[in-house]
PDB file of all heavy atoms in Angstrom:
ATOM      1  N   MET L  15      89.943  71.329 114.385  1.00 97.00           N
ATOM      2  CA  MET L  15      88.827  72.134 114.317  1.00 97.00           C
ATOM      3  C   MET L  15      88.409  72.596 112.907  1.00 97.00           C
ATOM      4  O   MET L  15      87.190  72.663 112.555  1.00 97.00           O
ATOM      5  CB  MET L  15      89.060  73.474 115.140  1.00 97.00           C
ATOM      6  CG  MET L  15      87.963  74.454 115.077  1.00 97.00           C
ATOM      7  SD  MET L  15      86.401  73.837 115.711  1.00 97.00           S
ATOM      8  CE  MET L  15      86.719  73.753 117.434  1.00 97.00           C
ATOM      9  N   GLY L  16      89.379  72.846 111.989  1.00 97.00           N
ATOM     10  CA  GLY L  16      88.995  73.201 110.643  1.00 97.00           C
ATOM     11  C   GLY L  16      90.179  73.700 109.920  1.00 97.00           C
ATOM     12  O   GLY L  16      91.291  73.771 110.475  1.00 97.00           O
ATOM     13  N   VAL L  17      90.000  74.019 108.657  1.00 98.00           N
ATOM     14  CA  VAL L  17      91.079  74.382 107.734  1.00 98.00           C
ATOM     15  C   VAL L  17      90.625  75.683 107.012  1.00 98.00           C
ATOM     16  O   VAL L  17      89.494  75.774 106.481  1.00 98.00           O
ATOM     17  CB  VAL L  17      91.402  73.335 106.777  1.00 98.00           C
ATOM     18  CG1 VAL L  17      92.491  73.767 105.828  1.00 98.00           C
ATOM     19  CG2 VAL L  17      91.836  71.998 107.525  1.00 98.00           C
ATOM     20  N   ASP L  18      91.504  76.658 106.926  1.00 97.00           N
ATOM     21  CA  ASP L  18      91.244  77.870 106.172  1.00 97.00           C
ATOM     22  C   ASP L  18      91.375  77.511 104.681  1.00 97.00           C
ATOM     23  O   ASP L  18      92.474  77.126 104.226  1.00 97.00           O
ATOM     24  CB  ASP L  18      92.282  78.924 106.532  1.00 97.00           C
ATOM     25  CG  ASP L  18      91.963  80.294 105.818  1.00 97.00           C
ATOM     26  OD1 ASP L  18      91.662  80.340 104.627  1.00 97.00           O
ATOM     27  OD2 ASP L  18      92.117  81.337 106.530  1.00 97.00           O
ATOM     28  N   ILE L  19      90.250  77.559 103.927  1.00 98.00           N
ATOM     29  CA  ILE L  19      90.233  77.025 102.564  1.00 98.00           C
ATOM     30  C   ILE L  19      91.084  77.941 101.613  1.00 98.00           C
ATOM     31  O   ILE L  19      91.274  77.656 100.418  1.00 98.00           O
ATOM     32  CB  ILE L  19      88.922  76.790 102.000  1.00 98.00           C
ATOM     33  CG1 ILE L  19      88.039  78.007 101.922  1.00 98.00           C
ATOM     34  CG2 ILE L  19      88.218  75.699 102.873  1.00 98.00           C
ATOM     35  CD1 ILE L  19      86.677  77.848 101.296  1.00 98.00           C
ATOM     36  N   GLU L  20      91.432  79.191 102.083  1.00 98.00           N
ATOM     37  CA  GLU L  20      92.231  80.117 101.218  1.00 98.00           C
ATOM     38  C   GLU L  20      93.740  79.844 101.430  1.00 98.00           C
ATOM     39  O   GLU L  20      94.469  79.887 100.483  1.00 98.00           O
ATOM     40  CB  GLU L  20      91.779  81.526 101.518  1.00 98.00           C
ATOM     41  CG  GLU L  20      90.424  81.817 101.262  1.00 98.00           C
ATOM     42  CD  GLU L  20      89.949  81.652  99.845  1.00 98.00           C
ATOM     43  OE1 GLU L  20      90.798  81.871  98.922  1.00 98.00           O
ATOM     44  OE2 GLU L  20      88.836  81.325  99.650  1.00 98.00           O
ATOM     45  N   THR L  21      94.075  79.617 102.688  1.00 98.00           N
ATOM     46  CA  THR L  21      95.578  79.522 102.987  1.00 98.00           C
ATOM     47  C   THR L  21      95.973  78.103 103.225  1.00 98.00           C
ATOM     48  O   THR L  21      97.152  77.753 103.224  1.00 98.00           O
ATOM     49  CB  THR L  21      95.909  80.314 104.310  1.00 98.00           C
ATOM     50  OG1 THR L  21      95.203  79.690 105.430  1.00 98.00           O
ATOM     51  CG2 THR L  21      95.512  81.767 104.213  1.00 98.00           C
ATOM     52  N   PHE L  22      94.938  77.148 103.251  1.00 98.00           N
ATOM     53  CA  PHE L  22      95.123  75.727 103.589  1.00 98.00           C
ATOM     54  C   PHE L  22      95.726  75.396 104.904  1.00 98.00           C
ATOM     55  O   PHE L  22      96.177  74.344 105.263  1.00 98.00           O
ATOM     56  CB  PHE L  22      96.069  75.160 102.485  1.00 98.00           C
ATOM     57  CG  PHE L  22      95.721  75.515 101.109  1.00 98.00           C
ATOM     58  CD1 PHE L  22      96.749  75.766 100.169  1.00 98.00           C
ATOM     59  CD2 PHE L  22      94.450  75.602 100.730  1.00 98.00           C
ATOM     60  CE1 PHE L  22      96.481  76.070  98.851  1.00 98.00           C
ATOM     61  CE2 PHE L  22      94.066  76.068  99.391  1.00 98.00           C
ATOM     62  CZ  PHE L  22      95.085  76.211  98.541  1.00 98.00           C
ATOM     63  N   GLU L  23      95.690  76.442 105.874  1.00 98.00           N
ATOM     64  CA  GLU L  23      96.273  76.280 107.176  1.00 98.00           C
ATOM     65  C   GLU L  23      95.191  75.730 108.155  1.00 98.00           C
ATOM     66  O   GLU L  23      94.129  76.409 108.221  1.00 98.00           O
ATOM     67  CB  GLU L  23      96.885  77.547 107.687  1.00 98.00           C
ATOM     68  CG  GLU L  23      98.031  78.102 106.904  1.00 98.00           C
ATOM     69  CD  GLU L  23      98.552  79.441 107.300  1.00 98.00           C
ATOM     70  OE1 GLU L  23      98.004  79.952 108.345  1.00 98.00           O
ATOM     71  OE2 GLU L  23      99.320  80.049 106.608  1.00 98.00           O
ATOM     72  N   PRO L  24      95.477  74.650 108.869  1.00 98.00           N
ATOM     73  CA  PRO L  24      94.514  74.238 109.940  1.00 98.00           C
ATOM     74  C   PRO L  24      94.493  75.265 111.081  1.00 98.00           C
ATOM     75  O   PRO L  24      95.492  75.995 111.263  1.00 98.00           O
ATOM     76  CB  PRO L  24      95.075  72.880 110.392  1.00 98.00           C
ATOM     77  CG  PRO L  24      96.096  72.532 109.268  1.00 98.00           C
ATOM     78  CD  PRO L  24      96.612  73.803 108.685  1.00 98.00           C
ATOM     79  N   ALA L  25      93.310  75.252 111.847  1.00 97.00           N
ATOM     80  CA  ALA L  25      93.166  76.088 112.888  1.00 97.00           C
ATOM     81  C   ALA L  25      93.387  75.323 114.218  1.00 97.00           C
ATOM     82  O   ALA L  25      93.016  74.179 114.331  1.00 97.00           O
ATOM     83  CB  ALA L  25      91.772  76.767 112.913  1.00 97.00           C
ATOM     84  N   PRO L  26      93.980  76.011 115.286  1.00 97.00           N
ATOM     85  CA  PRO L  26      94.602  77.376 115.196  1.00 97.00           C
ATOM     86  C   PRO L  26      96.009  77.284 114.494  1.00 97.00           C
ATOM     87  O   PRO L  26      96.778  76.289 114.672  1.00 97.00           O
ATOM     88  CB  PRO L  26      94.817  77.668 116.654  1.00 97.00           C
ATOM     89  CG  PRO L  26      94.900  76.282 117.386  1.00 97.00           C
ATOM     90  CD  PRO L  26      94.073  75.392 116.610  1.00 97.00           C
ATOM     91  N   SER L  27      96.232  78.322 113.682  1.00 97.00           N
ATOM     92  CA  SER L  27      97.483  78.344 112.877  1.00 97.00           C
ATOM     93  C   SER L  27      98.589  78.965 113.650  1.00 97.00           C
ATOM     94  O   SER L  27      98.519  80.085 114.094  1.00 97.00           O
ATOM     95  CB  SER L  27      97.235  79.113 111.604  1.00 97.00           C
ATOM     96  OG  SER L  27      98.450  79.173 110.855  1.00 97.00           O
ATOM     97  N   VAL L  28      99.598  78.212 113.896  1.00 97.00           N
ATOM     98  CA  VAL L  28     100.858  78.690 114.610  1.00 97.00           C
ATOM     99  C   VAL L  28     101.947  78.821 113.528  1.00 97.00           C
ATOM    100  O   VAL L  28     102.525  77.828 113.216  1.00 97.00           O
ATOM    101  CB  VAL L  28     101.209  77.672 115.763  1.00 97.00           C
ATOM    102  CG1 VAL L  28     102.424  78.279 116.499  1.00 97.00           C
ATOM    103  CG2 VAL L  28     100.041  77.438 116.681  1.00 97.00           C
ATOM    104  N   ALA L  29     102.148  80.023 113.059  1.00 97.00           N
ATOM    105  CA  ALA L  29     103.082  80.341 112.058  1.00 97.00           C
ATOM    106  C   ALA L  29     102.920  79.393 110.888  1.00 97.00           C
ATOM    107  O   ALA L  29     103.809  78.925 110.223  1.00 97.00           O
ATOM    108  CB  ALA L  29     104.471  80.176 112.649  1.00 97.00           C
ATOM    109  N   GLY L  30     101.642  79.160 110.469  1.00 97.00           N
ATOM    110  CA  GLY L  30     101.308  78.364 109.342  1.00 97.00           C
ATOM    111  C   GLY L  30     101.125  76.865 109.539  1.00 97.00           C
ATOM    112  O   GLY L  30     100.697  76.118 108.617  1.00 97.00           O
ATOM    113  N   TYR L  31     101.256  76.424 110.806  1.00 97.00           N
ATOM    114  CA  TYR L  31     101.137  74.987 111.074  1.00 97.00           C
ATOM    115  C   TYR L  31     100.175  74.827 112.292  1.00 97.00           C
ATOM    116  O   TYR L  31     100.009  75.761 113.070  1.00 97.00           O
ATOM    117  CB  TYR L  31     102.484  74.425 111.406  1.00 97.00           C
ATOM    118  CG  TYR L  31     103.489  74.310 110.251  1.00 97.00           C
ATOM    119  CD1 TYR L  31     104.285  75.395 109.982  1.00 97.00           C
ATOM    120  CD2 TYR L  31     103.553  73.179 109.429  1.00 97.00           C
ATOM    121  CE1 TYR L  31     105.102  75.407 108.866  1.00 97.00           C
ATOM    122  CE2 TYR L  31     104.368  73.134 108.348  1.00 97.00           C
ATOM    123  CZ  TYR L  31     105.178  74.309 108.121  1.00 97.00           C
ATOM    124  OH  TYR L  31     106.036  74.224 106.967  1.00 97.00           O
ATOM    125  N   SER L  32      99.656  73.590 112.437  1.00 97.00           N
ATOM    126  CA  SER L  32      98.817  73.412 113.574  1.00 97.00           C
ATOM    127  C   SER L  32      99.018  71.865 113.982  1.00 97.00           C
ATOM    128  O   SER L  32      99.821  71.202 113.414  1.00 97.00           O
ATOM    129  CB  SER L  32      97.357  73.703 113.296  1.00 97.00           C
ATOM    130  OG  SER L  32      96.567  73.651 114.460  1.00 97.00           O
ATOM    131  N   THR L  33      98.168  71.425 114.854  1.00 97.00           N
ATOM    132  CA  THR L  33      98.268  70.087 115.392  1.00 97.00           C
ATOM    133  C   THR L  33      96.784  69.724 115.878  1.00 97.00           C
ATOM    134  O   THR L  33      95.959  70.464 115.905  1.00 97.00           O
ATOM    135  CB  THR L  33      99.310  69.852 116.486  1.00 97.00           C
ATOM    136  OG1 THR L  33      99.469  68.452 116.712  1.00 97.00           O
ATOM    137  CG2 THR L  33      98.893  70.553 117.743  1.00 97.00           C
ATOM    138  N   TYR L  34      96.683  68.414 116.227  1.00 96.00           N
ATOM    139  CA  TYR L  34      95.434  67.992 116.727  1.00 96.00           C
ATOM    140  C   TYR L  34      95.260  68.496 118.200  1.00 96.00           C
ATOM    141  O   TYR L  34      96.232  68.404 119.030  1.00 96.00           O
ATOM    142  CB  TYR L  34      95.314  66.433 116.683  1.00 96.00           C
ATOM    143  CG  TYR L  34      95.499  65.865 115.342  1.00 96.00           C
ATOM    144  CD1 TYR L  34      96.690  65.102 115.048  1.00 96.00           C
ATOM    145  CD2 TYR L  34      94.609  66.102 114.346  1.00 96.00           C
ATOM    146  CE1 TYR L  34      96.910  64.535 113.791  1.00 96.00           C
ATOM    147  CE2 TYR L  34      94.851  65.625 113.010  1.00 96.00           C
ATOM    148  CZ  TYR L  34      95.914  64.811 112.787  1.00 96.00           C
ATOM    149  OH  TYR L  34      96.183  64.345 111.527  1.00 96.00           O
ATOM    150  N   GLY L  35      93.966  69.021 118.467  1.00 96.00           N
ATOM    151  CA  GLY L  35      93.771  69.509 119.835  1.00 96.00           C
ATOM    152  C   GLY L  35      92.719  68.844 120.522  1.00 96.00           C
ATOM    153  O   GLY L  35      92.181  67.901 120.115  1.00 96.00           O
ATOM    154  N   GLY L  36      92.330  69.547 121.631  1.00 96.00           N
ATOM    155  CA  GLY L  36      91.207  69.044 122.445  1.00 96.00           C
ATOM    156  C   GLY L  36      89.930  69.727 122.246  1.00 96.00           C
ATOM    157  O   GLY L  36      89.880  70.936 122.323  1.00 96.00           O
ATOM    158  N   TYR L  37      88.917  69.020 121.883  1.00 97.00           N
ATOM    159  CA  TYR L  37      87.648  69.629 121.539  1.00 97.00           C
ATOM    160  C   TYR L  37      86.657  69.606 122.750  1.00 97.00           C
ATOM    161  O   TYR L  37      86.513  68.571 123.384  1.00 97.00           O
ATOM    162  CB  TYR L  37      86.909  68.725 120.391  1.00 97.00           C
ATOM    163  CG  TYR L  37      85.695  69.290 119.784  1.00 97.00           C
ATOM    164  CD1 TYR L  37      85.591  70.538 119.287  1.00 97.00           C
ATOM    165  CD2 TYR L  37      84.517  68.423 119.689  1.00 97.00           C
ATOM    166  CE1 TYR L  37      84.437  71.044 118.732  1.00 97.00           C
ATOM    167  CE2 TYR L  37      83.377  68.923 119.160  1.00 97.00           C
ATOM    168  CZ  TYR L  37      83.337  70.252 118.754  1.00 97.00           C
ATOM    169  OH  TYR L  37      82.139  70.646 118.151  1.00 97.00           O
ATOM    170  N   SER L  38      86.049  70.750 122.982  1.00 98.00           N
ATOM    171  CA  SER L  38      85.163  70.829 124.123  1.00 98.00           C
ATOM    172  C   SER L  38      83.956  71.711 123.771  1.00 98.00           C
ATOM    173  O   SER L  38      83.746  72.068 122.567  1.00 98.00           O
ATOM    174  CB  SER L  38      85.952  71.521 125.342  1.00 98.00           C
ATOM    175  OG  SER L  38      86.328  72.813 124.962  1.00 98.00           O
ATOM    176  N   GLY L  39      83.159  72.083 124.746  1.00 97.00           N
ATOM    177  CA  GLY L  39      82.038  72.920 124.442  1.00 97.00           C
ATOM    178  C   GLY L  39      80.799  72.166 124.229  1.00 97.00           C
ATOM    179  O   GLY L  39      80.757  70.986 124.356  1.00 97.00           O
TER     180      GLY L  39
END
């Protein structure tokens, strides 16, 4: 989905880490 350009954490951030997810909408 995206990356927080201040913390460098991808969204959704789970304790600083993320993974590839399912895109809908």
Side-chain angles (χ1 to χ4, degrees):
M15 178 58 73
V17 178
D18 187 316
I19 64 173
E20 300 300 327
T21 66
F22 314 142
E23 296 175 8
S27 177
V28 182
Y31 294 85
S32 193
T33 190
Y34 303 113
Y37 185 55
S38 61

